Structures are given as C-alpha cells and as structure tokens.
Amino acid sequence: MFSPTQHGESMLKKKDEFEDILEERRNSSDLRYALRSYTPPLYKEVTPATANELKDMVLQSDPLCFVVRQVSTESGRPVDEVQAEASAILEEMAHGLQLSTVRFFAFTLSKVFKTLFRSIHVNEDGIQRLQQAVQENPVVLLPSHRSYLDFLLMSYILYTYDTPLPVIAAGMDFMGMKMVGEMLRKSGAFFIRRSFGGDKLYWAVFSEYVQTLLKKGYAPIEFFLEGTRSRTSKSLTPKLGLLNVVLEPFFKGEVYDVTLLPVSISYERILEESLYARELLGVPKPKESTSGLFKARKVLSEDYGSIHVYFGQPVSVRKLSEGRVKRSQFNLMPRHIPKRPGEDINKVVIELAYQLVQNQQANMVLNPFVLLATLLLQNHHQSLASGQKPGMKLQELTDRALWLRDLSRLFGACLQWPDDRPPAEVVSSSLRLHPGLVTISEGRVQLALHQASSPEEELFNQAVIILSCVSYRNQMLHVFVGPALVASAMNISSSTQKNEIANSHSFLRNMFFHEFILCPGGTNQDLSMSFDLLEKARALDVFSHHVLVPEEGHRTLSFLSSLLDPFLQGYQMVCRFVPDVRKFIVKQILAGRLKYSEVLSSDLQKNALAALSRLGAVQKIKGASQGNLKVNKVMVNWLEDTLGEKEAA
C-alpha cells in the first residue's frame, strides 16, 4: 500500500511561495495581457497537431477500427455506417482549441476575477515543477472540484505562466449552452456523456481520443478525479473510469511514463454555496444555459475573498507501480484488441486514486471562516439541546478560534491565518465576508436564522443556512477525521481498552467509507496515526493495551467527537426509517427530537444508504422503481444500536 503523503506534502507546501496573480492585472492592461506572446514549453519539442489532424489519427487508429468491425459484425450493420457513427461521436466530442478564443477568455476572465476576488494566490514552485514535467512525459492535471470556475481558473493560470493549455474533460450539459458551449470547446474542452452504459462504440471513440492526446503529448489532459463538483466541500470518492483510460498506455508500454499532478483549489467564499445547499435539500439543479449565465451576473456585485491554488508534487506512475504490475500481460495479444486489466493493475489504480485525492486534501488552504463556521455550528446545536440562547460573544468566539487554530496546525492543516493582525480583527473581517450566513448583534455572533410563516418553511430556510455553513466546516474534516473516528469509537465502546476501541474504530471506518476519503485496507495504519496525533495534542496517553484521558484532553476529544455527531445521528435516522427517510427526518426535527438539520442533506442520506447496501442491510429489488428496497431489519437495527444509543422515538 502506498504510504500516506499528507504530512510530507504539508511540510513541503509551507516552503512554497504563493504569488497573487491578480496584483499585476490590477496595475497593467488586460488587453496587453491577453494579446501578449504565448510560447509554452513543448513535450519533447513536438509541435501540437491541429484538431482535425487529431481526429483523423483517432478514426484511423487500429483499436477503433477493430471495435468498428466488431460492432458491425455484432449488429449486422455495414462497416461504413458504423464508421460514420464513430466519426459523428468524435465530432461531437472533440475539442477545437484556438488561441484566439483563449485570448478572449484571458481578457474577459481578468475583468471578472478582479471584480469577484481580492486575490488569486498560486504556488510558483508548483508551476515550475509542472513546466519541467510537461517537457519530459505526458501530464495529467487533476484539480479538486468545488465550483464551476475550476476549469476556467486552471486555464487562466496556465496561460498566465506561459504553460501548455490543457484539454479538459467536460460534461455534455455544457455543450448545450448556446455560444458558450462552442467557446468552451475552442478553449480546450472536449465533451463526454455522464454515463456510457454498454455503448461499446462510444467507449472506444472516447478512450482512443484521450489516449491519442496522451501518447502524442500534444497537451496536458485535465479532468476531475471526483467526477463531479462536490456540493458539500468534502472530497468525493474517486471515479476510476477516466483514470484507467489515461494509465492504460503506460501499462501497455506505449509511453515510458505518465505524470499525474494533483491540484488543490481553495475558495474563501464559494460562489455556489446557497445553490448547493438547496440542491442538497431536494431543489433541482438549474439547467446550464447561456441565459442562466447572464442572470447570474448579480454575483459580480459581491465580495468572494481570495482563492489559493496549489500545484502539488508530480506523481510518476512508473515509480509507483514498479515491482507491483506485470506489464507483460499485454504482450499476449495484439495491443489494439481491448483487454481487461489484471487484478494487480486494478489494485494499483485504486490505491493511486485515493492517494491523489488525499494529496489534494493535504494541500487545501483553510481560511479562518472554516474554523468559525465549525464553532458556530457546534454552538448552535448545543444551544438547541440545552435551551440556552444561541450565539457567542465576539471575544469568546475569538478565543475558541485561536484554540482551534492551534489544534488545526498541530494536526498538519495548512491554515491561512494572518498572524501579523490582531485575532479579533481576523475574526471580524472573516465574518463580514459571509453576511448571509452569520449575524453580529450587540457583540454577539450567531447563525443568520430567521423566522418564517410556517414551521416547514422556517425549517427549510434554516437548513439552507446550516448546510451552507456545513460546507465550510467540511473543508477541515480531512484534518480531523482520523482522530475524530477514534474519539467517537471511545464513546461507542465506552472503553479505554485499545482492542475495544480498535473494534469500534473499524466499524465506524467501514460505515463511513463513502462519507470520507478512507483508503481501502488502511484501517490499522489510520488508527496508529490517529493515536499518535492525539498523543501529540495531549488528548490521550497511549499505552500498550489501553489509553488514558488526561484532564486537558477532554476538551479536544469532546470537540472531535462532536464533529462526527451529525453523521452518526444521520446514519441512525436512515437505519430507522429506510427507505422513506426524508419525510420522517422532517417530522423528527419539527418535533424537537432531532437537532441536526444537516441530516436533511441528500448527500449524507445517499452515503448512508450506500453503506447499508455494502454491509448487506438493504438490497435494491431488481426491476423495481427507484427507492424500492428490501430491508434486513435485524441487520439495520443492529447497525443503529451500534452507532449509538437510540433517541426517544
């Protein structure tokens, strides 16, 4: 198993210098910037092919011609007809990169970014590593995905630093946007379906197109390993389809190496925060359209703070798979004939995917509001449980934020907290950036929850605010999830014996496998690292067979376990009311029997159902409508009991 890289990467990035690329844009001509000389370094001095030359290579390739003949034989259709279909698929899919369109976006985005953001910080050491890598091997860029802006931002940065522009995998929904879809194509986007199903011809065209781009090294390939935007700001379980496609040429010996480069994009304020919260509450996602884009212009009047973009360490697939993969397996038949990879390759790809997402997480830059949202959410939930007045005095919030700041740094977080400014000023400035989420009245800070005409409407409005704050809290969960699992395991097991804590930890880790990025097979290693961190924080004294909680450790353990409480309660609710969970949760909240509104999140409910399915507690009935499940009541009840004490029904 690959060794975790979080702490090594964290130490590295503290040496990297960040530069604000908007500073120069504010002091010089945007038009001159857009029209400047653009001469990026080339892969082995290869001149990039035109879009039409690339399409001809794909259509004439042996792998695609083989599948065309195969589909013709299986379907009884003429070869020419299948070939024409393949050509139409490629025409719909392929990028049409034009430098003139890139220059237009460079000019336009300069105006937009200067309006929306105070700064865009980029680690220049990472850019230099990328510029060196693109000259040596095919490069695959793997950014985190939290906003529609991600792929525009990536191309803008690479153009700024005279680095080869990527070709970018984009969903078909963007292609349907009048004018904008075609402009995205001309700036390097290629469009793919969200799902291929069993369409053998589409898969062949897609994989050959991507692999031709990669093998020829004409441009870096960029895609989102998580597959889609995260609506919760938690990293999503990596999708392996496109990763398998870009790695196959290496495993077949068609390229010497492939360089994978994780990129972490951190937003101080997310443009889509309210939209995401509503989606999680069941409001349908607005369809991508040009008119919708123009209607969204009102966002230009708001302040979205800063962005940090960290280009991570290049990952050599050759080095990581050395001694673990038998590439000779592809010599047993002609390489243009499709062949499923062996178990050794599947294992390497899965472990590599999780390592890359963990690298993205490790290099995320956390802003002060992440800490403040976490503390205000915990205060809100504690106030509901105790009946006390919600909110905190500004000084109390500042004191707690400083404590959490120090704990975060101790656990390896990369925290953007300006130590040269008074703490109260840092807190106040951060709160002012989020006026829709928090209110400050008479020196008291609390979530911006307002009354409505009906209990249901009030619950919905409050849930939007809470889920928006949750999206900021979630940005720091990767820092604490290991120790938090241990703290919750201690509560569930009611024990200080290490073997009993380990059993409960293993259960929770298995249960939350879809909720957090937890590497398969890494349970024991995670537990050991978490014990080390808790000892370092003086929250636990760890001995051979047991642990002790020193007096100063109770605060840390209480904070950590409360981070997972909403997930524990949410999974309990899903166990209790599967499959009609949402309407029962609403009833429980309105009746005051459930304090965590974030349990209404469709993402949490989906992950809980995935866990129940994987553990054999529920099973989808074949041929039945969506949501029709066969429930193993004994198993579900056991899981609910194990997650914690049942609340009064």
Side-chain angles (χ1 to χ4, degrees):
M1 187 174 167
F2 301 130
S3 60
T5 57
Q6 293 98 311
H7 299 292
E9 286 272 349
S10 181
M11 291 303 293
L12 171 76
K13 67 172 169 287
K14 287 178 173 59
K15 300 176 184 176
D16 280 11
E17 293 289 333
F18 280 96
E19 181 189 26
D20 175 15
I21 62 173
L22 288 187
E23 185 176 350
E24 184 181 347
R25 296 276 47 76
R26 298 189 195 280
N27 298 311
S28 61
S29 165
D30 290 332
L31 184 60
R32 190 177 297 119
Y33 160 75
L35 297 178
R36 69 188 176 84
S37 173
Y38 172 69
T39 54
L42 300 175
Y43 168 61
K44 296 184 177 179
E45 302 301 319
V46 174
T47 302
T50 66
N52 286 331
E53 288 171 343
L54 183 64
K55 284 186 271 191
D56 288 341
M57 291 180 202
V58 173
L59 291 172
Q60 295 166 17
S61 66
D62 289 339
L64 182 56
C65 289
F66 175 83
V67 173
V68 165
R69 291 191 298 270
Q70 193 177 51
V71 171
S72 172
T73 301
E74 292 172 356
S75 65
R77 296 160 59 197
V79 170
D80 289 349
E81 183 181 317
V82 179
Q83 182 73 27
E85 183 184 347
S87 181
I89 291 170
L90 185 58
E91 196 65 32
E92 177 187 68
M93 179 185 299
H95 80 80
L97 183 62
Q98 294 181 2
L99 188 55
S100 58
T101 304
V102 171
R103 293 188 187 281
F104 170 80
F105 270 117
F107 177 79
T108 305
L109 289 175
S110 290
K111 302 291 186 188
V112 172
F113 288 158
K114 285 189 293 184
T115 302
L116 287 174
F117 301 107
R118 299 173 185 175
S119 55
I120 298 177
H121 299 280
V122 180
N123 67 319
E124 289 200 317
D125 289 350
I127 291 290
Q128 291 172 12
R129 293 191 290 263
L130 170 59
Q131 289 173 334
Q132 183 64 36
V134 295
Q135 299 176 66
E136 298 171 351
N137 294 297
V139 170
V140 179
L141 296 169
L142 299 165
S144 57
H145 200 15
R146 303 292 181 268
S147 171
Y148 274 136
L149 285 183
D150 292 333
F151 66 92
L152 294 172
L153 183 63
M154 285 287 294
S155 295
Y156 182 80
I157 291 170
L158 296 184
Y159 179 80
T160 299
Y161 283 101
D162 223 24
T163 303
L165 292 168
V167 289
I168 309 152
M172 293 289 287
D173 34 7
F174 287 102
M175 196 179 74
M177 299 173 68
K178 292 179 182 178
M179 297 184 293
V180 174
E182 198 55 36
M183 290 185 69
L184 291 175
R185 186 192 298 277
K186 290 179 180 178
S187 65
F190 66 94
F191 298 98
I192 56 176
R193 298 174 188 169
R194 294 291 182 187
S195 174
F196 301 172
D199 194 331
K200 185 185 295 185
L201 184 63
Y202 191 93
W203 177 263
V205 173
F206 160 70
S207 58
E208 187 59 29
Y209 179 70
V210 172
Q211 290 177 3
T212 300
L213 280 167
L214 183 114
K215 287 183 287 187
K216 300 298 182 183
Y218 293 145
I221 295 172
E222 178 186 318
F223 65 92
F224 300 110
L225 194 52
E226 298 165 279
T228 187
R229 287 174 299 153
S230 170
R231 272 71 172 169
T232 64
S233 291
K234 287 194 288 96
S235 293
L236 305 178
T237 303
K239 304 295 187 294
L240 304 180
L242 195 41
L243 185 62
N244 273 306
V245 169
V246 297
L247 295 182
E248 187 177 67
F250 167 74
F251 292 133
K252 284 186 173 182
E254 296 171 326
V255 294
Y256 178 77
D257 197 1
V258 175
T259 299
L260 306 175
L261 200 141
V263 184
S264 307
I265 305 176
S266 309
Y267 294 91
E268 188 171 8
R269 183 181 170 197
I270 304 166
L271 266 74
E272 303 98 327
E273 66 180 23
S274 177
L275 178 68
Y276 287 166
R278 285 173 165 78
E279 280 186 48
L280 292 170
L281 291 169
V283 177
K285 182 185 83 166
K287 185 178 179 181
E288 285 80 7
S289 67
T290 305
S291 61
L293 185 66
F294 285 112
K295 288 176 184 176
R297 285 179 299 173
K298 65 179 183 180
V299 302
L300 294 174
S301 63
E302 299 198 30
D303 180 1
Y304 288 88
S306 300
I307 304 175
H308 283 78
V309 183
Y310 186 89
F311 288 79
Q313 280 287 347
V315 175
S316 165
V317 176
R318 185 179 189 87
K319 287 182 181 178
L320 284 179
S321 60
E322 195 170 7
R324 306 186 65 212
V325 171
K326 294 180 180 178
R327 294 200 289 167
S328 59
Q329 62 187 272
F330 290 101
N331 295 333
L332 302 177
M333 63 174 67
R335 294 186 181 179
H336 66 267
I337 297 177
K339 180 183 184 302
R340 289 187 178 276
E343 191 58 39
D344 56 341
I345 289 179
N346 287 334
K347 186 176 180 181
V348 165
V349 171
I350 291 170
E351 292 180 6
L352 179 56
Y354 276 86
Q355 177 189 346
L356 290 164
V357 177
Q358 285 192 328
N359 286 358
Q360 289 176 349
Q361 289 181 326
N363 293 320
M364 288 291 187
V365 176
L366 306 181
N367 287 284
F369 189 73
V370 171
L371 310 184
L372 303 179
T374 303
L375 294 168
L376 288 170
L377 281 168
Q378 290 192 354
N379 170 265
H380 171 73
H381 296 136
Q382 289 164 1
S383 299
L384 284 179
S386 64
Q388 295 178 345
K389 185 178 180 181
M392 284 181 276
K393 291 289 186 181
L394 184 59
Q395 186 57 53
E396 181 187 359
L397 178 61
T398 301
D399 292 342
R400 293 191 186 187
L402 289 173
W403 174 83
L404 186 52
R405 178 198 67 181
D406 295 342
L407 185 65
S408 301
R409 286 174 171 170
L410 188 66
F411 279 19
C414 181
L415 187 61
Q416 185 64 26
W417 183 292
D419 291 314
D420 58 338
R421 292 167 57 191
E425 184 182 315
V426 173
V427 170
S428 297
S429 174
S430 184
L431 293 172
R432 284 195 298 270
L433 191 63
H434 302 271
L437 301 183
V438 294
T439 60
I440 307 175
S441 177
E442 299 177 358
R444 196 169 185 85
V445 187
Q446 64 184 67
L447 301 183
L449 306 178
H450 305 291
Q451 293 185 335
S453 57
S454 69
E456 290 79 8
E457 183 183 352
E458 184 171 322
L459 173 59
F460 179 85
N461 292 340
Q462 291 185 1
V464 168
I465 300 298
I466 287 172
L467 286 176
S468 296
C469 289
V470 163
S471 72
Y472 289 97
R473 179 208 65 195
N474 286 348
Q475 293 179 31
M476 65 185 285
L477 281 181
H478 69 276
V479 176
F480 292 111
V481 68
L485 285 170
V486 171
S488 295
M490 291 175 66
N491 288 344
I492 287 176
S493 63
S494 299
S495 174
T496 57
Q497 295 301 306
K498 286 179 73 174
N499 63 329
E500 294 183 27
I501 295 171
N503 289 337
S504 293
H505 173 268
S506 178
F507 166 78
L508 288 175
R509 194 180 186 278
N510 200 18
M511 196 73 182
F512 290 141
F513 185 75
H514 298 278
E515 199 70 57
F516 310 111
I517 300 301
L518 303 168
C519 289
T523 303
N524 292 336
Q525 188 177 25
D526 283 356
L527 181 61
S528 176
M529 289 176 62
S530 298
F531 275 140
D532 288 345
L533 284 173
L534 289 168
E535 263 200 312
K536 186 178 178 182
R538 298 180 180 177
L540 280 184
D541 293 325
V542 182
F543 300 96
S544 298
H545 302 291
H546 70 285
V547 300
L548 291 177
V549 182
E551 187 61 34
E552 59 187 310
H554 289 287
R555 181 181 185 182
T556 300
L557 291 176
S558 176
F559 166 78
L560 291 170
S561 62
S562 68
L563 282 178
L564 295 189
D565 280 348
F567 299 97
L568 288 165
Q569 194 171 76
Y571 277 49
Q572 283 181 276
M573 289 296 104
V574 173
C575 286
R576 193 178 306 179
F577 299 122
V578 66
D580 299 316
V581 64
R582 179 175 286 272
K583 64 181 182 182
F584 285 104
I585 288 176
V586 171
K587 288 181 180 178
Q588 295 289 305
I589 294 175
L590 291 175
R593 290 192 286 264
L594 182 60
K595 64 180 179 180
Y596 295 109
S597 300
E598 63 192 89
V599 175
L600 286 166
S601 166
S602 58
D603 182 77
L604 186 149
Q605 294 168 23
K606 177 195 71 178
N607 291 335
L609 282 172
L612 296 185
S613 176
R614 192 166 51 84
L615 295 171
V618 299
Q619 183 180 356
K620 193 176 187 303
I621 300 173
K622 287 186 178 180
S625 61
Q626 189 174 6
N628 206 333
L629 302 170
K630 181 180 179 182
V631 181
N632 181 334
K633 285 288 187 184
V634 174
M635 182 67 166
V636 164
N637 288 339
W638 178 79
L639 289 171
E640 184 191 351
D641 289 341
T642 309
L643 283 167
E645 290 185 8
K646 289 189 178 184
E647 308 211 8

